[in-house]
Amino acid sequence: MRYPPLRFVGRILYSRTALEAEKAAAKLLQILQAKKKQRGQVAIGFDIEWRPTFRKGASPHKAAVMQLCADSFHCHVMHIIHSGIPPSLQLLLEDSTFLKVGVGICGDASKVYRDYNVCIKGMDDLSDLANKKIGGDKWGLASLSEALVCKELQKPKKIRLGNWEVKVLSKEQLQYAATDAFASWHVYEVLNNLPDIIQGVMDKKNEELESIAV
Protein backbone atom coordinates (compact mmCIF):
# COMPACT_ATOMS: atom_id res chain seq x y z
CA MET A 1 0.00 0.00 0.00
CA ARG A 2 1.31 3.42 -0.92
CA TYR A 3 0.88 6.03 1.78
CA PRO A 4 0.73 9.79 1.22
CA PRO A 5 4.12 11.48 1.63
CA LEU A 6 5.16 12.79 5.02
CA ARG A 7 6.04 16.45 4.62
CA PHE A 8 6.84 19.22 7.07
CA VAL A 9 4.45 22.07 6.31
CA GLY A 10 5.47 24.53 9.03
CA ARG A 11 8.05 27.31 8.86
CA ILE A 12 11.64 26.33 8.04
CA LEU A 13 14.14 28.58 9.84
CA TYR A 14 17.42 28.46 7.92
CA SER A 15 20.71 29.68 9.44
CA ARG A 16 23.99 29.70 7.56
CA THR A 17 26.25 32.23 9.30
CA ALA A 18 27.60 32.07 12.84
CA LEU A 19 25.52 35.11 13.83
CA GLU A 20 22.31 33.69 12.34
CA ALA A 21 22.86 30.31 14.00
CA GLU A 22 23.61 31.92 17.37
CA LYS A 23 20.46 34.07 17.26
CA ALA A 24 18.31 31.14 16.15
CA ALA A 25 19.70 28.79 18.81
CA ALA A 26 19.32 31.41 21.57
CA LYS A 27 15.67 31.96 20.64
CA LEU A 28 15.05 28.21 20.43
CA LEU A 29 16.60 27.76 23.87
CA GLN A 30 14.17 30.30 25.34
CA ILE A 31 11.20 28.51 23.75
CA LEU A 32 12.37 25.11 24.94
CA GLN A 33 12.99 26.32 28.49
CA ALA A 34 9.47 27.75 28.63
CA LYS A 35 8.04 24.45 27.33
CA LYS A 36 10.06 22.50 29.88
CA LYS A 37 8.53 24.52 32.73
CA GLN A 38 5.05 23.73 31.45
CA ARG A 39 5.45 20.09 30.40
CA GLY A 40 8.52 18.81 32.21
CA GLN A 41 10.45 17.05 29.45
CA VAL A 42 10.82 18.40 25.93
CA ALA A 43 11.72 16.24 22.93
CA ILE A 44 13.60 17.58 19.91
CA GLY A 45 13.70 15.79 16.58
CA PHE A 46 17.38 15.71 15.60
CA ASP A 47 19.29 14.82 12.45
CA ILE A 48 22.41 15.76 10.51
CA GLU A 49 23.44 15.64 6.85
CA TRP A 50 26.85 15.59 5.24
CA ARG A 51 28.30 15.41 1.78
CA PRO A 52 28.83 11.76 0.77
CA THR A 53 32.25 10.42 -0.17
CA PHE A 54 32.23 8.30 -3.31
CA ARG A 55 35.96 7.43 -3.43
CA LYS A 56 36.93 4.23 -1.63
CA GLY A 57 39.17 4.89 1.37
CA ALA A 58 38.53 8.65 1.36
CA SER A 59 37.94 10.35 4.69
CA PRO A 60 34.28 11.23 5.37
CA HIS A 61 33.24 14.86 5.05
CA LYS A 62 32.27 16.88 8.12
CA ALA A 63 28.67 17.13 9.24
CA ALA A 64 27.32 19.98 7.12
CA VAL A 65 23.72 20.48 8.23
CA MET A 66 21.97 20.08 11.57
CA GLN A 67 18.19 19.93 11.89
CA LEU A 68 16.19 20.52 15.08
CA CYS A 69 12.41 20.29 15.39
CA ALA A 70 10.38 20.51 18.61
CA ASP A 71 6.85 21.00 17.24
CA SER A 72 4.85 20.91 14.02
CA PHE A 73 5.13 24.66 13.41
CA HIS A 74 8.87 25.43 13.24
CA CYS A 75 11.96 23.52 12.20
CA HIS A 76 15.52 24.82 12.37
CA VAL A 77 17.95 23.90 9.61
CA MET A 78 21.46 25.07 10.51
CA HIS A 79 24.22 25.05 7.90
CA ILE A 80 26.96 24.26 10.40
CA ILE A 81 29.62 23.61 7.76
CA HIS A 82 29.59 27.42 7.31
CA SER A 83 28.43 28.68 10.72
CA GLY A 84 30.14 26.19 12.99
CA ILE A 85 28.38 25.40 16.27
CA PRO A 86 27.95 28.70 18.15
CA PRO A 87 27.71 28.93 21.98
CA SER A 88 23.90 28.82 22.31
CA LEU A 89 23.63 25.82 20.00
CA GLN A 90 26.38 24.03 21.92
CA LEU A 91 24.59 24.80 25.19
CA LEU A 92 21.36 23.31 23.81
CA LEU A 93 23.10 20.19 22.53
CA GLU A 94 24.99 19.61 25.79
CA ASP A 95 21.91 20.11 27.98
CA SER A 96 20.72 16.61 28.94
CA THR A 97 17.33 17.95 30.09
CA PHE A 98 16.39 18.50 26.44
CA LEU A 99 15.81 15.07 24.90
CA LYS A 100 17.16 14.70 21.37
CA VAL A 101 15.42 11.94 19.42
CA GLY A 102 16.14 10.17 16.15
CA VAL A 103 16.99 6.82 14.59
CA GLY A 104 20.69 6.05 14.96
CA ILE A 105 21.13 9.24 16.95
CA CYS A 106 24.15 7.94 18.87
CA GLY A 107 26.02 7.57 15.60
CA ASP A 108 25.09 11.13 14.63
CA ALA A 109 26.22 12.36 18.04
CA SER A 110 29.58 10.61 17.65
CA LYS A 111 30.08 12.28 14.28
CA VAL A 112 29.26 15.72 15.71
CA TYR A 113 31.79 15.10 18.48
CA ARG A 114 34.48 14.03 16.02
CA ASP A 115 33.81 16.89 13.64
CA TYR A 116 33.10 19.75 16.07
CA ASN A 117 34.21 18.54 19.52
CA VAL A 118 30.69 19.06 20.93
CA CYS A 119 29.21 16.33 23.12
CA ILE A 120 25.47 15.84 22.61
CA LYS A 121 23.74 14.77 25.83
CA GLY A 122 20.23 13.49 26.50
CA MET A 123 19.35 11.16 23.61
CA ASP A 124 16.76 8.50 22.83
CA ASP A 125 17.07 6.24 19.79
CA LEU A 126 13.65 5.81 18.20
CA SER A 127 14.50 2.28 17.08
CA ASP A 128 15.13 1.19 20.68
CA LEU A 129 12.04 3.01 21.91
CA ALA A 130 9.93 1.33 19.23
CA ASN A 131 11.18 -2.09 20.32
CA LYS A 132 9.95 -1.35 23.85
CA LYS A 133 6.61 0.03 22.72
CA ILE A 134 5.54 -2.04 19.71
CA GLY A 135 8.13 -4.79 19.36
CA GLY A 136 9.76 -5.77 16.12
CA ASP A 137 13.42 -5.71 15.26
CA LYS A 138 15.49 -2.87 13.87
CA TRP A 139 13.26 0.02 12.89
CA GLY A 140 14.17 2.81 10.48
CA LEU A 141 12.57 6.22 10.44
CA ALA A 142 10.74 5.44 7.18
CA SER A 143 9.28 2.18 8.49
CA LEU A 144 8.24 3.85 11.74
CA SER A 145 6.54 6.65 9.82
CA GLU A 146 4.53 4.11 7.85
CA ALA A 147 3.67 1.95 10.86
CA LEU A 148 2.71 4.76 13.23
CA VAL A 149 1.38 7.66 11.16
CA CYS A 150 0.61 5.96 7.81
CA LYS A 151 2.84 8.34 5.87
CA GLU A 152 5.74 7.65 3.49
CA LEU A 153 9.03 9.31 4.37
CA GLN A 154 10.51 9.91 0.94
CA LYS A 155 14.29 9.73 0.49
CA PRO A 156 15.15 10.78 -3.07
CA LYS A 157 18.80 9.90 -3.79
CA LYS A 158 19.34 13.11 -5.74
CA ILE A 159 18.85 15.09 -2.53
CA ARG A 160 20.04 12.58 0.08
CA LEU A 161 23.34 12.02 -1.72
CA GLY A 162 23.70 15.60 -2.90
CA ASN A 163 26.18 18.30 -1.90
CA TRP A 164 25.23 19.55 1.57
CA GLU A 165 28.26 21.88 1.60
CA VAL A 166 26.90 24.23 -1.07
CA LYS A 167 26.95 27.92 -0.29
CA VAL A 168 23.16 28.10 0.12
CA LEU A 169 20.86 25.10 0.49
CA SER A 170 18.15 24.68 -2.12
CA LYS A 171 14.44 24.65 -1.29
CA GLU A 172 14.44 20.90 -1.91
CA GLN A 173 17.32 20.36 0.49
CA LEU A 174 15.69 22.52 3.15
CA GLN A 175 12.41 20.62 2.80
CA TYR A 176 14.17 17.25 2.98
CA ALA A 177 16.18 18.24 6.05
CA ALA A 178 13.23 19.77 7.90
CA THR A 179 10.98 16.80 7.15
CA ASP A 180 13.54 14.35 8.56
CA ALA A 181 13.76 16.20 11.89
CA PHE A 182 9.99 16.68 12.01
CA ALA A 183 9.45 12.96 11.35
CA SER A 184 11.70 12.08 14.30
CA TRP A 185 9.82 14.43 16.62
CA HIS A 186 6.41 13.27 15.37
CA VAL A 187 7.24 9.56 15.67
CA TYR A 188 8.62 10.10 19.17
CA GLU A 189 5.44 11.85 20.31
CA VAL A 190 3.35 8.92 19.05
CA LEU A 191 5.63 6.28 20.60
CA ASN A 192 5.95 8.10 23.90
CA ASN A 193 2.18 8.01 24.37
CA LEU A 194 2.02 4.24 23.91
CA PRO A 195 2.39 1.83 26.85
CA ASP A 196 5.43 -0.46 27.00
CA ILE A 197 4.72 -3.94 25.62
CA ILE A 198 5.08 -5.66 29.02
CA GLN A 199 2.97 -3.05 30.76
CA GLY A 200 0.32 -3.33 28.07
CA VAL A 201 0.16 -7.11 28.45
CA MET A 202 -0.06 -6.82 32.25
CA ASP A 203 -2.86 -4.27 32.00
CA LYS A 204 -4.79 -6.55 29.66
CA LYS A 205 -4.38 -9.53 32.01
CA ASN A 206 -5.51 -7.45 34.98
CA GLU A 207 -8.61 -6.36 33.05
CA GLU A 208 -9.40 -10.00 32.21
CA LEU A 209 -8.99 -11.05 35.86
CA GLU A 210 -11.22 -8.22 37.03
CA SER A 211 -13.93 -9.20 34.54
CA ILE A 212 -13.77 -12.83 35.73
CA ALA A 213 -13.99 -11.74 39.38
CA VAL A 214 -17.08 -9.68 38.61
Side-chain angles (χ1 to χ4, degrees), residues 149-186:
V149 298
C150 297
K151 294 286 182 71
E152 181 187 0
L153 183 63
Q154 298 177 330
K155 294 277 189 178
K157 282 187 178 181
K158 183 180 178 181
I159 300 174
R160 180 169 58 88
L161 300 178
N163 182 8
W164 293 96
E165 297 180 6
V166 290
K167 188 175 181 180
V168 179
L169 294 177
S170 67
K171 288 182 179 180
E172 291 77 16
Q173 285 177 309
L174 288 171
Q175 184 65 56
Y176 177 100
T179 296
D180 260 11
F182 168 69
S184 291
W185 172 81
H186 191 24

mmCIF file of all heavy atoms in Angstrom, residues 149-186:
data_model
loop_
_atom_site.group_PDB
_atom_site.id
_atom_site.type_symbol
_atom_site.label_atom_id
_atom_site.label_comp_id
_atom_site.label_asym_id
_atom_site.label_seq_id
_atom_site.Cartn_x
_atom_site.Cartn_y
_atom_site.Cartn_z
ATOM 1 N N VAL A 149 2.174 6.516 11.620
ATOM 2 C CA VAL A 149 1.379 7.662 11.158
ATOM 3 C C VAL A 149 0.854 7.480 9.730
ATOM 4 O O VAL A 149 0.239 8.386 9.173
ATOM 5 C CB VAL A 149 2.183 8.985 11.261
ATOM 6 C CG1 VAL A 149 2.553 9.275 12.693
ATOM 7 C CG2 VAL A 149 3.436 8.959 10.393
ATOM 8 N N CYS A 150 1.116 6.279 9.157
ATOM 9 C CA CYS A 150 0.608 5.956 7.814
ATOM 10 C C CYS A 150 1.016 6.993 6.773
ATOM 11 O O CYS A 150 0.218 7.434 5.947
ATOM 12 C CB CYS A 150 -0.914 5.799 7.839
ATOM 13 S SG CYS A 150 -1.475 4.437 8.873
ATOM 14 N N LYS A 151 2.287 7.401 6.842
ATOM 15 C CA LYS A 151 2.843 8.338 5.868
ATOM 16 C C LYS A 151 4.169 7.790 5.349
ATOM 17 O O LYS A 151 4.901 7.114 6.083
ATOM 18 C CB LYS A 151 3.081 9.718 6.506
ATOM 19 C CG LYS A 151 1.817 10.452 6.938
ATOM 20 C CD LYS A 151 1.053 11.001 5.758
ATOM 21 C CE LYS A 151 -0.183 11.771 6.171
ATOM 22 N NZ LYS A 151 0.158 13.054 6.798
ATOM 23 N N GLU A 152 4.488 8.106 4.104
ATOM 24 C CA GLU A 152 5.736 7.653 3.494
ATOM 25 C C GLU A 152 6.801 8.742 3.609
ATOM 26 O O GLU A 152 6.607 9.867 3.150
ATOM 27 C CB GLU A 152 5.525 7.311 2.020
ATOM 28 C CG GLU A 152 6.797 6.817 1.336
ATOM 29 C CD GLU A 152 6.643 6.647 -0.161
ATOM 30 O OE1 GLU A 152 5.542 6.916 -0.690
ATOM 31 O OE2 GLU A 152 7.631 6.261 -0.813
ATOM 32 N N LEU A 153 7.908 8.384 4.263
ATOM 33 C CA LEU A 153 9.034 9.312 4.369
ATOM 34 C C LEU A 153 9.908 9.124 3.138
ATOM 35 O O LEU A 153 10.643 8.151 3.025
ATOM 36 C CB LEU A 153 9.831 9.043 5.645
ATOM 37 C CG LEU A 153 11.001 9.989 5.916
ATOM 38 C CD1 LEU A 153 10.507 11.425 6.105
ATOM 39 C CD2 LEU A 153 11.781 9.543 7.145
ATOM 40 N N GLN A 154 9.803 10.043 2.209
ATOM 41 C CA GLN A 154 10.507 9.906 0.935
ATOM 42 C C GLN A 154 11.970 10.303 1.071
ATOM 43 O O GLN A 154 12.308 11.269 1.764
ATOM 44 C CB GLN A 154 9.813 10.752 -0.128
ATOM 45 C CG GLN A 154 8.380 10.310 -0.393
ATOM 46 C CD GLN A 154 7.655 11.184 -1.393
ATOM 47 O OE1 GLN A 154 7.926 12.378 -1.499
ATOM 48 N NE2 GLN A 154 6.731 10.596 -2.137
ATOM 49 N N LYS A 155 12.843 9.511 0.398
ATOM 50 C CA LYS A 155 14.288 9.730 0.487
ATOM 51 C C LYS A 155 14.906 9.752 -0.909
ATOM 52 O O LYS A 155 15.658 8.848 -1.286
ATOM 53 C CB LYS A 155 14.928 8.613 1.320
ATOM 54 C CG LYS A 155 14.535 8.581 2.779
ATOM 55 C CD LYS A 155 15.381 9.542 3.565
ATOM 56 C CE LYS A 155 15.178 9.395 5.051
ATOM 57 N NZ LYS A 155 16.056 10.312 5.805
ATOM 58 N N PRO A 156 14.590 10.752 -1.713
ATOM 59 C CA PRO A 156 15.153 10.784 -3.075
ATOM 60 C C PRO A 156 16.685 10.866 -3.050
ATOM 61 O O PRO A 156 17.263 11.712 -2.366
ATOM 62 C CB PRO A 156 14.533 12.046 -3.671
ATOM 63 C CG PRO A 156 14.091 12.878 -2.508
ATOM 64 C CD PRO A 156 13.738 11.917 -1.429
ATOM 65 N N LYS A 157 17.331 9.965 -3.798
ATOM 66 C CA LYS A 157 18.796 9.905 -3.790
ATOM 67 C C LYS A 157 19.432 11.211 -4.248
ATOM 68 O O LYS A 157 20.500 11.605 -3.766
ATOM 69 C CB LYS A 157 19.268 8.759 -4.696
ATOM 70 C CG LYS A 157 19.142 7.392 -4.072
ATOM 71 C CD LYS A 157 19.795 6.351 -4.961
ATOM 72 C CE LYS A 157 19.732 4.968 -4.321
ATOM 73 N NZ LYS A 157 20.386 3.949 -5.173
ATOM 74 N N LYS A 158 18.785 11.876 -5.203
ATOM 75 C CA LYS A 158 19.342 13.113 -5.739
ATOM 76 C C LYS A 158 19.587 14.135 -4.633
ATOM 77 O O LYS A 158 20.563 14.898 -4.668
ATOM 78 C CB LYS A 158 18.389 13.692 -6.792
ATOM 79 C CG LYS A 158 18.903 14.950 -7.466
ATOM 80 C CD LYS A 158 17.910 15.459 -8.495
ATOM 81 C CE LYS A 158 18.415 16.747 -9.133
ATOM 82 N NZ LYS A 158 17.442 17.286 -10.124
ATOM 83 N N ILE A 159 18.698 14.143 -3.642
ATOM 84 C CA ILE A 159 18.849 15.087 -2.531
ATOM 85 C C ILE A 159 19.684 14.468 -1.420
ATOM 86 O O ILE A 159 20.631 15.082 -0.921
ATOM 87 C CB ILE A 159 17.472 15.521 -1.994
ATOM 88 C CG1 ILE A 159 16.669 16.199 -3.107
ATOM 89 C CG2 ILE A 159 17.630 16.474 -0.805
ATOM 90 C CD1 ILE A 159 15.246 16.531 -2.727
ATOM 91 N N ARG A 160 19.344 13.243 -1.034
ATOM 92 C CA ARG A 160 20.040 12.583 0.084
ATOM 93 C C ARG A 160 21.536 12.482 -0.161
ATOM 94 O O ARG A 160 22.337 12.687 0.756
ATOM 95 C CB ARG A 160 19.445 11.192 0.292
ATOM 96 C CG ARG A 160 20.071 10.402 1.422
ATOM 97 C CD ARG A 160 19.253 9.164 1.745
ATOM 98 N NE ARG A 160 19.094 8.296 0.599
ATOM 99 C CZ ARG A 160 19.955 7.319 0.256
ATOM 100 N NH1 ARG A 160 21.049 7.120 0.995
ATOM 101 N NH2 ARG A 160 19.735 6.564 -0.797
ATOM 102 N N LEU A 161 21.922 12.179 -1.386
ATOM 103 C CA LEU A 161 23.339 12.015 -1.716
ATOM 104 C C LEU A 161 23.901 13.246 -2.424
ATOM 105 O O LEU A 161 24.929 13.163 -3.101
ATOM 106 C CB LEU A 161 23.526 10.778 -2.596
ATOM 107 C CG LEU A 161 23.072 9.450 -1.985
ATOM 108 C CD1 LEU A 161 23.264 8.314 -2.964
ATOM 109 C CD2 LEU A 161 23.828 9.173 -0.686
ATOM 110 N N GLY A 162 23.255 14.369 -2.262
ATOM 111 C CA GLY A 162 23.705 15.604 -2.896
ATOM 112 C C GLY A 162 24.793 16.318 -2.095
ATOM 113 O O GLY A 162 25.301 15.813 -1.091
ATOM 114 N N ASN A 163 25.131 17.506 -2.548
ATOM 115 C CA ASN A 163 26.179 18.295 -1.898
ATOM 116 C C ASN A 163 25.578 19.182 -0.812
ATOM 117 O O ASN A 163 24.982 20.224 -1.105
ATOM 118 C CB ASN A 163 26.906 19.148 -2.947
ATOM 119 C CG ASN A 163 28.038 19.955 -2.334
ATOM 120 O OD1 ASN A 163 28.384 19.775 -1.165
ATOM 121 N ND2 ASN A 163 28.621 20.845 -3.116
ATOM 122 N N TRP A 164 25.755 18.783 0.432
ATOM 123 C CA TRP A 164 25.234 19.547 1.568
ATOM 124 C C TRP A 164 26.183 20.671 1.996
ATOM 125 O O TRP A 164 25.896 21.398 2.942
ATOM 126 C CB TRP A 164 24.960 18.605 2.737
ATOM 127 C CG TRP A 164 23.838 17.656 2.460
ATOM 128 C CD1 TRP A 164 23.941 16.373 2.002
ATOM 129 C CD2 TRP A 164 22.435 17.918 2.579
ATOM 130 N NE1 TRP A 164 22.700 15.816 1.826
ATOM 131 C CE2 TRP A 164 21.753 16.745 2.186
ATOM 132 C CE3 TRP A 164 21.690 19.028 2.986
ATOM 133 C CZ2 TRP A 164 20.355 16.652 2.186
ATOM 134 C CZ3 TRP A 164 20.297 18.941 2.992
ATOM 135 C CH2 TRP A 164 19.650 17.760 2.599
ATOM 136 N N GLU A 165 27.297 20.809 1.274
ATOM 137 C CA GLU A 165 28.262 21.875 1.595
ATOM 138 C C GLU A 165 28.132 23.073 0.659
ATOM 139 O O GLU A 165 28.966 23.979 0.691
ATOM 140 C CB GLU A 165 29.685 21.314 1.528
ATOM 141 C CG GLU A 165 29.959 20.226 2.553
ATOM 142 C CD GLU A 165 31.379 19.694 2.466
ATOM 143 O OE1 GLU A 165 32.182 20.254 1.679
ATOM 144 O OE2 GLU A 165 31.692 18.720 3.179
ATOM 145 N N VAL A 166 27.088 23.095 -0.158
ATOM 146 C CA VAL A 166 26.898 24.228 -1.071
ATOM 147 C C VAL A 166 26.791 25.528 -0.274
ATOM 148 O O VAL A 166 26.532 25.524 0.929
ATOM 149 C CB VAL A 166 25.630 24.048 -1.941
ATOM 150 C CG1 VAL A 166 25.822 22.943 -2.937
ATOM 151 C CG2 VAL A 166 24.406 23.806 -1.059
ATOM 152 N N LYS A 167 26.987 26.628 -0.967
ATOM 153 C CA LYS A 167 26.952 27.923 -0.289
ATOM 154 C C LYS A 167 25.593 28.192 0.343
ATOM 155 O O LYS A 167 25.506 28.674 1.487
ATOM 156 C CB LYS A 167 27.291 29.037 -1.296
ATOM 157 C CG LYS A 167 27.472 30.405 -0.646
ATOM 158 C CD LYS A 167 27.933 31.423 -1.678
ATOM 159 C CE LYS A 167 28.131 32.789 -1.007
ATOM 160 N NZ LYS A 167 28.574 33.803 -1.998
ATOM 161 N N VAL A 168 24.526 27.907 -0.388
ATOM 162 C CA VAL A 168 23.163 28.100 0.119
ATOM 163 C C VAL A 168 22.349 26.856 -0.237
ATOM 164 O O VAL A 168 22.340 26.435 -1.395
ATOM 165 C CB VAL A 168 22.499 29.357 -0.498
ATOM 166 C CG1 VAL A 168 21.079 29.510 0.017
ATOM 167 C CG2 VAL A 168 23.316 30.612 -0.189
ATOM 168 N N LEU A 169 21.676 26.286 0.739
ATOM 169 C CA LEU A 169 20.864 25.101 0.486
ATOM 170 C C LEU A 169 19.668 25.434 -0.404
ATOM 171 O O LEU A 169 19.083 26.513 -0.297
ATOM 172 C CB LEU A 169 20.357 24.515 1.809
ATOM 173 C CG LEU A 169 21.413 23.937 2.763
ATOM 174 C CD1 LEU A 169 20.742 23.477 4.052
ATOM 175 C CD2 LEU A 169 22.173 22.791 2.120
ATOM 176 N N SER A 170 19.313 24.497 -1.252
ATOM 177 C CA SER A 170 18.153 24.684 -2.125
ATOM 178 C C SER A 170 16.858 24.471 -1.342
ATOM 179 O O SER A 170 16.871 23.937 -0.226
ATOM 180 C CB SER A 170 18.212 23.686 -3.283
ATOM 181 O OG SER A 170 18.031 22.359 -2.795
ATOM 182 N N LYS A 171 15.746 24.866 -1.929
ATOM 183 C CA LYS A 171 14.442 24.652 -1.289
ATOM 184 C C LYS A 171 14.190 23.165 -1.067
ATOM 185 O O LYS A 171 13.618 22.765 -0.044
ATOM 186 C CB LYS A 171 13.326 25.252 -2.155
ATOM 187 C CG LYS A 171 13.295 26.774 -2.149
ATOM 188 C CD LYS A 171 12.120 27.289 -2.987
ATOM 189 C CE LYS A 171 12.076 28.814 -2.965
ATOM 190 N NZ LYS A 171 10.935 29.333 -3.782
ATOM 191 N N GLU A 172 14.625 22.346 -2.024
ATOM 192 C CA GLU A 172 14.436 20.904 -1.911
ATOM 193 C C GLU A 172 15.266 20.328 -0.768
ATOM 194 O O GLU A 172 14.794 19.463 -0.015
ATOM 195 C CB GLU A 172 14.818 20.211 -3.224
ATOM 196 C CG GLU A 172 13.885 20.486 -4.398
ATOM 197 C CD GLU A 172 14.103 21.859 -5.030
ATOM 198 O OE1 GLU A 172 15.155 22.485 -4.766
ATOM 199 O OE2 GLU A 172 13.217 22.296 -5.786
ATOM 200 N N GLN A 173 16.478 20.822 -0.618
ATOM 201 C CA GLN A 173 17.323 20.361 0.490
ATOM 202 C C GLN A 173 16.748 20.790 1.841
ATOM 203 O O GLN A 173 16.745 20.008 2.804
ATOM 204 C CB GLN A 173 18.750 20.901 0.329
ATOM 205 C CG GLN A 173 19.560 20.207 -0.751
ATOM 206 C CD GLN A 173 20.932 20.822 -0.921
ATOM 207 O OE1 GLN A 173 21.056 22.050 -1.077
ATOM 208 N NE2 GLN A 173 21.965 20.000 -0.903
ATOM 209 N N LEU A 174 16.278 22.021 1.905
ATOM 210 C CA LEU A 174 15.687 22.522 3.150
ATOM 211 C C LEU A 174 14.453 21.706 3.525
ATOM 212 O O LEU A 174 14.269 21.346 4.699
ATOM 213 C CB LEU A 174 15.319 23.997 3.003
ATOM 214 C CG LEU A 174 16.476 24.986 2.966
ATOM 215 C CD1 LEU A 174 15.978 26.388 2.594
ATOM 216 C CD2 LEU A 174 17.197 25.043 4.322
ATOM 217 N N GLN A 175 13.626 21.404 2.546
ATOM 218 C CA GLN A 175 12.412 20.620 2.804
ATOM 219 C C GLN A 175 12.762 19.211 3.275
ATOM 220 O O GLN A 175 12.163 18.690 4.221
ATOM 221 C CB GLN A 175 11.556 20.562 1.545
ATOM 222 C CG GLN A 175 10.222 19.849 1.729
ATOM 223 C CD GLN A 175 9.303 20.579 2.687
ATOM 224 O OE1 GLN A 175 8.997 21.753 2.503
ATOM 225 N NE2 GLN A 175 8.875 19.901 3.742
ATOM 226 N N TYR A 176 13.722 18.603 2.620
ATOM 227 C CA TYR A 176 14.168 17.250 2.982
ATOM 228 C C TYR A 176 14.688 17.235 4.418
ATOM 229 O O TYR A 176 14.309 16.365 5.217
ATOM 230 C CB TYR A 176 15.253 16.818 2.007
ATOM 231 C CG TYR A 176 15.878 15.464 2.293
ATOM 232 C CD1 TYR A 176 15.482 14.339 1.581
ATOM 233 C CD2 TYR A 176 16.872 15.323 3.256
ATOM 234 C CE1 TYR A 176 16.064 13.092 1.835
ATOM 235 C CE2 TYR A 176 17.455 14.093 3.518
ATOM 236 C CZ TYR A 176 17.050 12.982 2.809
ATOM 237 O OH TYR A 176 17.621 11.762 3.064
ATOM 238 N N ALA A 177 15.561 18.188 4.723
ATOM 239 C CA ALA A 177 16.181 18.235 6.055
ATOM 240 C C ALA A 177 15.141 18.485 7.141
ATOM 241 O O ALA A 177 15.136 17.819 8.188
ATOM 242 C CB ALA A 177 17.254 19.331 6.087
ATOM 243 N N ALA A 178 14.254 19.441 6.916
ATOM 244 C CA ALA A 178 13.232 19.772 7.902
ATOM 245 C C ALA A 178 12.280 18.596 8.121
ATOM 246 O O ALA A 178 11.902 18.288 9.261
ATOM 247 C CB ALA A 178 12.454 21.008 7.466
ATOM 248 N N THR A 179 11.910 17.923 7.040
ATOM 249 C CA THR A 179 10.979 16.797 7.153
ATOM 250 C C THR A 179 11.585 15.654 7.953
ATOM 251 O O THR A 179 10.893 14.999 8.742
ATOM 252 C CB THR A 179 10.553 16.309 5.752
ATOM 253 O OG1 THR A 179 9.830 17.361 5.096
ATOM 254 C CG2 THR A 179 9.669 15.084 5.837
ATOM 255 N N ASP A 180 12.880 15.405 7.796
ATOM 256 C CA ASP A 180 13.540 14.348 8.564
ATOM 257 C C ASP A 180 13.459 14.630 10.070
ATOM 258 O O ASP A 180 13.134 13.738 10.863
ATOM 259 C CB ASP A 180 15.004 14.233 8.137
ATOM 260 C CG ASP A 180 15.221 13.077 7.177
ATOM 261 O OD1 ASP A 180 14.230 12.503 6.698
ATOM 262 O OD2 ASP A 180 16.390 12.740 6.914
ATOM 263 N N ALA A 181 13.792 15.850 10.468
ATOM 264 C CA ALA A 181 13.757 16.202 11.890
ATOM 265 C C ALA A 181 12.327 16.183 12.423
ATOM 266 O O ALA A 181 12.060 15.724 13.540
ATOM 267 C CB ALA A 181 14.390 17.575 12.110
ATOM 268 N N PHE A 182 11.397 16.680 11.604
ATOM 269 C CA PHE A 182 9.989 16.675 12.007
ATOM 270 C C PHE A 182 9.487 15.247 12.180
ATOM 271 O O PHE A 182 8.760 14.929 13.137
ATOM 272 C CB PHE A 182 9.137 17.395 10.964
ATOM 273 C CG PHE A 182 7.661 17.193 11.145
ATOM 274 C CD1 PHE A 182 6.993 17.745 12.225
ATOM 275 C CD2 PHE A 182 6.948 16.418 10.231
ATOM 276 C CE1 PHE A 182 5.625 17.537 12.397
ATOM 277 C CE2 PHE A 182 5.587 16.207 10.393
ATOM 278 C CZ PHE A 182 4.925 16.768 11.482
ATOM 279 N N ALA A 183 9.869 14.356 11.263
ATOM 280 C CA ALA A 183 9.447 12.957 11.348
ATOM 281 C C ALA A 183 9.930 12.322 12.642
ATOM 282 O O ALA A 183 9.185 11.590 13.308
ATOM 283 C CB ALA A 183 9.976 12.176 10.142
ATOM 284 N N SER A 184 11.170 12.624 13.040
ATOM 285 C CA SER A 184 11.705 12.081 14.295
ATOM 286 C C SER A 184 10.898 12.574 15.489
ATOM 287 O O SER A 184 10.556 11.804 16.385
ATOM 288 C CB SER A 184 13.178 12.471 14.456
ATOM 289 O OG SER A 184 13.983 11.808 13.502
ATOM 290 N N TRP A 185 10.612 13.870 15.497
ATOM 291 C CA TRP A 185 9.822 14.433 16.617
ATOM 292 C C TRP A 185 8.414 13.839 16.623
ATOM 293 O O TRP A 185 7.918 13.433 17.683
ATOM 294 C CB TRP A 185 9.732 15.952 16.468
ATOM 295 C CG TRP A 185 8.780 16.562 17.458
ATOM 296 C CD1 TRP A 185 9.037 16.859 18.765
ATOM 297 C CD2 TRP A 185 7.407 16.921 17.218
ATOM 298 N NE1 TRP A 185 7.904 17.377 19.364
ATOM 299 C CE2 TRP A 185 6.895 17.427 18.436
ATOM 300 C CE3 TRP A 185 6.571 16.865 16.098
ATOM 301 C CZ2 TRP A 185 5.577 17.880 18.562
ATOM 302 C CZ3 TRP A 185 5.258 17.302 16.225
ATOM 303 C CH2 TRP A 185 4.776 17.798 17.437
ATOM 304 N N HIS A 186 7.784 13.757 15.475
ATOM 305 C CA HIS A 186 6.411 13.273 15.372
ATOM 306 C C HIS A 186 6.309 11.805 15.804
ATOM 307 O O HIS A 186 5.413 11.423 16.576
ATOM 308 C CB HIS A 186 5.930 13.444 13.929
ATOM 309 C CG HIS A 186 4.472 13.228 13.726
ATOM 310 N ND1 HIS A 186 3.552 13.366 14.732
ATOM 311 C CD2 HIS A 186 3.770 12.862 12.617
ATOM 312 C CE1 HIS A 186 2.336 13.101 14.260
ATOM 313 N NE2 HIS A 186 2.451 12.789 12.972
#
